[in-house]
Amino acid sequence: MCVPPARRASRVRPEGGRVTQNGEGQEAPGGAPQVLTFGAPSVGEVLAERYQLEEHINNDSLGRQMWRGVDVILRRPVAVVLRYPGGDSASEMLSAAVAASRIVHPHLVGVYDAIDEGDRAYVVREWVDGASLRELVADGPLDPDRAATIACAVADAIAAIHGTGMAHGNIHPGTVLIAGDGRVVLTDARADEATTPEADVRAIGAVLYCALTGHWPHTEAGATSVPDAIRDSDGTLTAPRQVRGGVPSYLDELTTDLLNPALTPPTADVLVGELSRFEQEGNHPLFAAEESGFHSFDSASAAPAPPRPTSRKIVVGIAGLIVIALAGVLGAARVLSNHNQPPQPGPGRTSSSAPGNTRTGPTTVLKIGPDQVRIVDDAKGSRNENDTNVRKTVDGDPTTVWRTDQYDGSADFGKIKSGMGVLLDLGADKHVVSVEVQLATGGATLELRAGSTAPTASGMFAVANTEGGAFKVNGADFALIGEVKRDAGTTVVLPGPPDSTVRYLVVWITKLPQLSSGKYQVGIQEIKVSVQ
């Protein structure tokens, strides 16, 4: 019996991040891959001495095999996408996986590994238990609120991808997955030079149309394709309201406009805002009690709540409310059970407290004006880049973005400077509870600095070249608050000083995420300061 020589694998390492399986891609007619070669995998085989194949799920129209596997080291389920052969023919798949891995986003499936063995290549990704949109609409169209929730989640993911300068290029009912817990994720980017952000946004409109009607407005290949959309005698696409009843007029119009080639579509981040502001008949918010696809769709019928500005912020808002509620319940229980006794210290705490530093009253988001922010950095003699756009970080509109310049060579600002950031003047000393920073792209390293002495002017910093080091703004000391946040996601919550008031804050960035072009850049959409 001939034994194949041991494979020499070349691992293309993702740099952490997120871009699975059931229904992913388009299945090939007949369920067979286009290419089968010697050494095809079998159940039980362990790839890269780590990923054990457990079940063959399907083959897509590109001849790739989808397997369910397990990471034998971390003991977690994974999805493995194999392509025959590897080498140059698999470069697009591997490059797309590596690029997607750099984007950390809740609506993009996580990429764990990318390996080229020459005769085959494979990508290892997060396993999602659930179904694709294609499978869901096979039982009939979705309710308008569910359809809009899915489209909003996809738009949110695409906005993050576009923020890096890339496009997705493969948005259709098979690449939109809905997990059993309601989380909506997008997978299988296949962007090439012909892919454009505009095409991505129009594809989001097609996803919305599919969810509302159960039909796909474009031709979809494969044995399990969604039925083609209904058209009139002139070939004009039939509006969703004409296909099924109960579609709100504003949702119908938005869908139709997105698919109209004569109209310029909005950007993906603007589309997120449009979908987020939709409300059902009778002033019931569309996204009441719904957390951007993380909860079961059953929660869509829960009690109304104010509409959120974007789907990226709902998780932080709900989590904050839960923490506040739990704190109130625990505090009340302690008062009732120990009202005649002095407070007892818990593990790692002391029974003493500093008078004057006790925080009381509700937490509110501080309104910060455009004249209360400025850009600062520590490059001697350099201008404060894009300082005129810094107002966009506090304008209350997450669709506007302040961005750094693009840097070559390395993530630490091309070694030109040790960092840069946004200085905020709160107007007076405040008890800062937290600072929420919404980034256009995940992967940055940032930290929060605070002080109460006014800097003499905007401009140069005297700052250590290490994260968390000594830090001054034109002679005024700024202390590090909390921990340095490395490889941060798109929404970062930084805790405020626990026992003091401050007037000045600096959101300081020391590492930049890499764009698909190879350059380094980050954008800040919004900074929110919560105070008591």
Side-chain angles (χ1 to χ4, degrees):
M1 180 178 66
C2 295
V3 179
R7 293 185 173 90
R8 299 183 63 184
S10 171
R11 179 178 261 104
V12 184
R13 295 225 179 247
E15 298 179 1
R18 297 180 162 270
V19 211
T20 224
Q21 66 293 326
N22 296 337
E24 179 185 352
Q26 299 174 8
E27 292 187 1
Q34 294 176 328
V35 179
L36 287 176
T37 67
F38 177 76
S42 59
V43 173
E45 181 176 351
V46 178
L47 307 180
E49 300 182 348
R50 178 166 185 171
Y51 308 109
Q52 180 172 315
L53 301 178
E54 295 196 333
E55 180 185 6
H56 178 218
I57 303 302
N58 58 38
N59 303 320
D60 69 12
S61 59
L62 298 179
R64 305 182 311 174
Q65 298 184 19
M66 173 64 66
W67 287 75
R68 177 178 59 82
V70 63
D71 183 333
V72 298
I73 296 177
L74 298 180
R75 306 306 305 171
R76 65 181 175 185
V78 295
V80 181
V81 182
L82 289 119
R83 190 193 190 287
Y84 291 86
D88 292 341
S89 62
S91 61
E92 192 276 336
M93 180 184 80
L94 297 172
S95 297
V98 172
S101 74
R102 298 190 181 112
I103 307 173
V104 181
H105 194 278
H107 297 307
L108 291 173
V109 176
V111 175
Y112 302 145
D113 219 336
I115 299 173
D116 185 3
E117 293 182 345
D119 58 342
R120 67 181 179 186
Y122 44 94
V123 173
V124 183
R125 299 189 290 212
E126 174 188 3
W127 175 266
V128 176
D129 280 323
S132 67
L133 176 61
R134 177 194 293 147
E135 293 169 314
L136 289 183
V137 299
D139 296 326
L142 307 182
D143 292 338
D145 57 342
R146 299 181 183 184
T149 297
I150 291 173
C152 188
V154 174
D156 206 15
I158 291 301
I161 292 175
H162 289 178
T164 69
M166 297 189 301
H168 187 278
N170 194 34
I171 304 167
H172 60 78
T175 57
V176 177
L177 306 179
I178 297 87
D181 61 359
R183 177 186 170 212
V184 179
V185 290
L186 182 64
T187 187
D188 203 24
R190 297 180 193 166
D192 54 32
E193 293 181 356
T195 300
T196 65
E198 179 177 320
D200 279 349
V201 174
R202 293 199 186 279
I204 298 170
V207 164
L208 182 56
Y209 187 96
C210 177
L212 289 169
T213 67
H215 295 77
W216 182 240
H218 308 300
T219 301
E220 190 193 19
T224 60
S225 61
V226 176
D228 291 340
I230 302 171
R231 300 177 183 272
D232 61 21
S233 58
D234 296 327
T236 303
L237 189 68
T238 303
R241 297 184 76 185
Q242 296 174 298
V243 179
R244 50 89 52 105
V247 178
S249 59
Y250 42 76
L251 205 55
D252 178 86
E253 293 170 0
L254 175 63
T255 307
T256 303
D257 288 349
L258 289 172
L259 295 173
N260 186 347
L263 298 177
T264 302
T267 59
D269 49 6
V270 170
L271 182 56
V272 171
E274 290 296 320
L275 288 165
S276 299
R277 284 190 286 268
F278 281 146
E279 294 186 358
Q280 297 174 317
E281 300 283 340
N283 293 323
H284 291 91
L286 178 61
F287 295 93
E290 186 277 320
E291 294 192 16
S292 190
F294 283 95
H295 280 185
S296 167
F297 281 141
D298 292 340
S299 66
S301 61
R308 53 177 192 171
T310 73
S311 65
R312 284 191 285 261
K313 298 183 180 180
I314 188 70
V315 174
V316 174
I318 295 297
L321 291 175
I322 292 173
V323 170
I324 293 171
L326 287 175
V329 171
L330 293 174
R334 177 172 292 183
V335 170
L336 291 174
S337 61
N338 300 295
H339 62 281
N340 289 323
Q341 302 177 19
Q344 299 298 313
R349 300 180 181 178
T350 63
S351 59
S352 63
S353 60
N357 288 332
T358 302
R359 297 181 178 179
T360 60
T363 299
T364 60
V365 176
L366 184 66
K367 176 63 177 177
I368 299 176
D371 58 339
Q372 294 175 260
V373 292
R374 63 179 183 249
I375 298 299
V376 284
D377 64 38
D378 70 345
K380 184 175 182 180
S382 74
R383 63 187 177 87
N384 293 330
E385 61 191 61
N386 304 329
D387 193 46
T388 56
N389 290 325
V390 67
R391 65 184 185 280
K392 295 180 179 179
T393 64
V394 293
D395 63 0
D397 183 358
T399 65
T400 61
V401 185
W402 167 83
R403 300 184 190 276
T404 66
D405 287 344
Q406 294 187 5
Y407 292 83
D408 294 313
S410 63
D412 53 350
F413 294 87
K415 301 189 181 303
I416 296 174
K417 60 185 78 173
S418 64
M420 67 180 302
V422 179
L423 171 67
L424 302 98
D425 180 356
L426 307 185
D429 284 351
K430 303 284 185 182
H431 277 298
V432 177
V433 177
S434 65
V435 177
E436 177 187 323
V437 184
Q438 190 172 30
L439 303 172
T441 308
T445 296
L446 67 162
E447 58 194 43
L448 181 66
R449 296 284 182 160
S452 290
T453 303
T456 56
S458 63
M460 195 179 75
F461 275 84
V463 56
N465 290 326
T466 58
E467 296 169 358
F471 195 98
K472 293 178 181 290
V473 183
N474 289 357
D477 290 316
F478 276 66
L480 174 66
I481 307 301
E483 299 178 350
V484 176
K485 299 290 185 179
R486 299 177 179 85
D487 194 23
T490 53
T491 299
V492 186
V493 179
L494 304 166
D499 299 318
S500 62
T501 60
V502 294
R503 174 169 175 172
Y504 302 97
L505 298 172
V506 175
V507 176
W508 185 246
I509 302 169
T510 56
K511 300 288 184 183
L512 302 172
Q514 189 173 24
L515 306 178
S516 59
S517 63
K519 295 180 181 293
Y520 296 86
Q521 183 185 47
V522 76
I524 297 179
Q525 296 172 307
E526 204 67 27
I527 298 176
K528 288 187 176 182
V529 179
S530 296
V531 299
Q532 281 185 336

